[in-house]
Amino acid sequence: MSASFAKALEAAREAAGSQNNPTSTLYVVATPIGNLADISLRALHVLSVVDAIACEDTRHTQQLLRAYGLERPGAQLLSVHQHNEAEAAQTVIARLTQGERIAYVSDAGTPAISDPGARLVAAVRQAGCRVLPLPGASSVTTALSASGMTGERGFVFSGFLPSKLGERQQAVQALAQDSRAVVLLEAPHRIEALAQALAVLGERRITVGRELTKQFEQIETVAANALPAWLAEKPDRQRGEFVLVLHDAPVAATEGEGVRVLQVLLTELPLKTAVKLAAEITGESKNALYDKALALKKG
């Protein structure tokens, strides 16, 4: 444990030590998605006082706890992952009914979003025990906050698209019919295939978040049809974990709106810049707007 986290533990006790942490309760605890300093003071305190910690991967969680100076005996770590969640939930419930306090953490971020935890939470609630969430890091909201997407029409979390080609193409076709923003997750060995599938969405913008909160974090926004070339440009761009935000579809322009917007922009900007901005504002085809801009210039 570094000295900085020793101070964090002291601050956690001061900030949350007087709060009520009821027994017979499952604490759903968000943990960092990369940067260890993103842990909350409340999470540090709860992880230090619970009777046991249920986790997606006991080895990963033990390393996390060790970094904070909260290492636990192996018997206090309960394995609850996607392959045993239903059965392991019964063990957790049995201990909760005996008055214990148990935390649940996934490998990174907020449990039960894309990681395991939802079945555990549902079973615990059905058994009549309390579930107490501790908010914190989430790759979904982290990517959205850096995308510049307004979210006026809301957003959809789709997670990982199917790995099979046909099913993935069907999923992308469904995304094309939805004007809302969509958050996707992808692993490095499948990011090229996903980029090729999304390219059919044309100029609809995509914000790519790679290695969010980590040392080599990268956040870029490109058109969907430019994503494969952007990935191929540098090998490093295909490494790490990915969160992608498919921006909401532009509102269809009314007849003549593109020309009106172009007329305004062309008075202040170069032709190509004016066309690019007009396409983003109106949702019209960039090629069509370019032809209109040339006509306006000649006129």
Side-chain angles (χ1 to χ4, degrees):
M1 178 184 64
S2 68
S4 59
F5 286 124
K7 294 177 181 178
L9 287 177
E10 181 179 352
R13 285 191 293 269
E14 292 181 1
S18 61
Q19 296 180 3
N20 180 35
N21 295 302
T23 58
S24 300
T25 298
L26 175 70
Y27 295 81
V28 182
V29 182
T31 56
I33 59 175
N35 192 318
L36 290 177
D38 288 337
I39 191 76
S40 73
L41 294 179
R42 187 181 175 205
L44 284 175
H45 179 70
V46 166
L47 290 173
S48 70
V49 300
V50 292
D51 298 290
I53 300 174
C55 39
E56 183 179 0
D57 186 323
T58 56
R59 292 168 299 179
H60 178 90
T61 298
Q62 188 69 283
Q63 290 178 353
L64 182 70
L65 295 172
R66 188 176 296 123
Y68 297 132
L70 297 173
E71 186 172 358
R72 294 272 186 146
Q76 293 182 10
L77 297 181
L78 311 177
S79 178
V80 183
H81 50 76
Q82 63 176 337
H83 302 297
N84 76 340
E85 193 169 353
E87 298 80 6
Q90 301 309 310
T91 300
V92 173
I93 291 169
R95 297 183 65 157
L96 291 175
T97 56
Q98 294 173 7
E100 291 192 10
R101 293 176 290 194
I102 297 180
Y104 181 73
V105 298
S106 58
D107 286 349
T110 303
I113 305 301
S114 180
D115 295 337
R119 292 186 180 89
L120 172 63
V121 167
V124 167
R125 291 178 63 86
Q126 187 174 9
C129 296
R130 184 175 179 181
V131 176
L132 203 159
L134 275 66
S138 167
S139 62
V140 176
T141 52
T142 299
L144 282 169
S145 69
S147 69
M149 191 277 302
T150 60
E152 293 177 354
R153 281 169 278 170
F155 71 91
V156 178
F157 174 64
S158 289
F160 292 91
L161 294 188
S163 58
K164 294 183 178 179
L165 178 60
E167 294 178 0
R168 185 169 59 240
Q169 289 175 333
Q170 291 179 356
V172 172
Q173 290 174 3
L175 296 181
Q177 302 302 315
D178 196 331
S179 63
R180 294 172 295 177
V182 182
V183 181
L184 302 170
L185 304 178
E186 195 51 273
H189 66 280
R190 298 198 329 178
I191 189 62
E192 285 186 280
L194 178 62
Q196 293 292 341
L198 293 174
V200 301
L201 299 178
E203 295 184 1
R204 192 165 169 180
R205 291 181 298 166
I206 296 178
T207 294
V208 181
R210 186 178 69 85
E211 292 290 86
L212 291 177
T213 79
K214 300 176 184 177
Q215 181 179 1
F216 299 107
E217 175 184 80
Q218 186 174 21
I219 303 172
E220 296 287 345
T221 300
V222 300
N225 55 14
L227 182 56
W230 181 84
L231 284 172
E233 188 175 349
K234 295 181 179 180
D236 286 348
R237 291 178 178 175
Q238 298 176 35
R239 297 172 182 167
E241 299 299 322
F242 291 84
V243 186
L244 298 91
V245 178
L246 175 63
H247 289 226
D248 45 6
V251 177
T254 57
E255 187 66 28
E257 184 180 356
V259 174
R260 181 184 64 79
V261 173
L262 272 174
Q263 287 175 327
V264 174
L265 294 176
L266 285 170
T267 61
E268 302 290 340
L269 299 170
L271 186 144
K272 288 186 177 180
T273 304
V275 168
K276 179 182 178 182
L277 290 176
E280 293 182 0
I281 293 170
T282 66
E284 290 191 26
S285 164
K286 188 183 293 186
N287 290 336
L289 287 171
Y290 186 82
D291 291 339
K292 292 177 182 178
L294 289 176
L296 288 171
K297 283 288 188 180
K298 292 179 181 179

